[in-house]
Amino acid sequence: MSQWITVCNLDDVIPGTGVCALVNGEQVALFRPDTSDTFYAISNMDPFAQSNVLSRGLICEHDGELWVASPLKKQRFALKDGRCLENVEASVKSYQVQVVNSEVQIAA
C-alpha cells in the first residue's frame, strides 16, 4: 500500500522545469511541464550515464507525449511511465503524483 509523501508546494516548481526530491532515500525527478497543477515523477537516475541527472533534463514532446531528454547522453524517458524511447529495457521507475491543497505529493 502506497503512502503519499509531501515533497514541496505547487509554486516551488517553475512551470516547464524539473526538480529533484528525496523520497524514502531515493532521488525522484519531479516535473511540472506547464502552468497547470499537472506533475510527473520518475527516477532521477539516468541508467545510461549512471548519474542522478534526469531532473535537469529538457522536457520535450514526441508524438503527442511528454518526455525528458537526459542532459548527458540525450536518451528520452516518458514522463508518464518512465519508458525509454531508445531502449525500453533501460526504462526508469515512475511514481504517482497528486496535488492536494497546493502541496505536491508522491506515492512511495
Side-chain angles (χ1 to χ4, degrees):
M1 182 172 166
S2 295
Q3 174 185 1
W4 291 102
I5 297 174
T6 299
V7 294
C8 64
N9 288 313
L10 177 71
D11 293 333
D12 291 338
V13 184
I14 298 169
T17 67
V19 297
C20 180
L22 190 60
V23 178
N24 290 339
E26 294 184 32
Q27 290 192 25
V28 175
L30 179 67
F31 297 96
R32 184 179 185 190
D34 55 38
T35 57
S36 72
D37 61 355
T38 301
F39 281 79
Y40 299 93
I42 60 174
S43 172
N44 196 35
M45 173 63 74
D46 178 337
F48 296 97
Q50 293 296 307
S51 298
N52 285 303
V53 296
L54 292 182
S55 63
R56 304 284 185 163
L58 181 66
I59 298 172
C60 52
E61 187 174 334
H62 178 78
D63 287 340
E65 189 173 1
L66 291 172
W67 301 77
V68 62
S70 172
L72 295 178
K73 298 193 176 192
K74 311 303 183 216
Q75 283 86 2
R76 291 166 287 176
F77 299 89
L79 293 186
K80 72 176 184 181
D81 59 12
R83 182 174 21 97
C84 179
L85 182 64
E86 288 78 18
N87 181 351
V88 293
E89 293 180 10
S91 298
V92 297
K93 183 178 179 180
S94 64
Y95 300 83
Q96 290 181 298
V97 183
Q98 68 179 10
V99 177
V100 177
N101 298 326
S102 296
E103 292 183 336
V104 181
Q105 300 177 334
I106 295 176

